[in-house]
Amino acid sequence: MKLLRFGEKGAEKPGLLDAEGAIRDLSGKIDDIAGDVLTTQGLKKLAEIDPNTLPKVEGEPRIGAPIGLVQKFLGIGLNYSDHAAETGLPVPEEPIVFVKASSCICGPNDNVLMPDGYERMDWEVELGVVIGDPAKRISEAEALDHVAGYTICNDVSERRLQVGGPGEWFKAKSYDTFGPMGPWVVTKDEIPDPQALNLTLDVNGERMQTGSTSTMIFNVAQLVAYISRFMTLMPGDVISTGTPPGVGMGRKPRIFLKDGDVMHLAVEGLGEQTQKLVRGN
């Protein structure tokens, strides 16, 4: 299944994408794509619904972030060896886990804000892992059983705050709109191997990032199991699993985003995103 949320910001409705690519309205069945809906039992109930019995959504509504409540939005730093190399940092021996404020999450095609004083904004296409069943101190062998599905994340960052400045990743990556997510959550039954997905990102039509999740240092199962040692992962929590090489900071000369730039992201099997950078606070 491809689960999504559609409608104006703050008033999104739950939906799913049918086999013909049409949006079907789930609001008569569930309140939102969140919480228990994302557990094994919740997804099983949704899978039993015939999409043809759901109202078809006409037109081209705005697509919102695919999860209504993300309690924890976690990122993984330097999880591709070639990305670590381009930043001049060593390959980590254990996963580097950081937090992005959940308030930074926006729809996959919403504008990304460029606030005053932010002059080194950068892009990062990433595989997002959506937690289904709660996970606490689980093993790698059972980790994927606790995953509901996968989505695309753009880990937008202000490098001035991350490196060469205060060095605080949380502040560098948490401004409003710095977490485009979606367009949908693809349930794990449609993604048999999360370590075999191609990722790309273009800026103004020029390819900047090309990679594959097969080159991740720590795979999805390892990440879920590792993080569950330090906190209980809950339904709807999202782990953004790191980015392949090609970020602006790693280029020579460096390239950073400008007002009006357009980012286009794609992950195999998970759809596409497009965001325009706009000046604003």
Side-chain angles (χ1 to χ4, degrees), residues 236-250:
D237 286 351
V238 176
I239 304 169
S240 198
T241 57
T243 197
V247 299
M249 181 180 66

Side-chain angles (χ1 to χ4, degrees), residues 18-59:
D18 69 18
E20 285 71 46
I23 298 174
R24 298 285 181 159
D25 188 346
L26 274 170
S27 60
K29 302 290 185 179
I30 57 175
D31 293 331
D32 207 347
I33 307 295
D36 290 345
V37 169
L38 292 164
T39 64
T40 298
Q41 289 302 314
L43 293 177
K44 182 179 179 182
K45 291 179 181 178
L46 287 184
E48 294 171 352
I49 299 172
D50 180 356
N52 293 318
T53 64
L54 300 172
K56 182 183 290 188
V57 178
E58 302 297 336

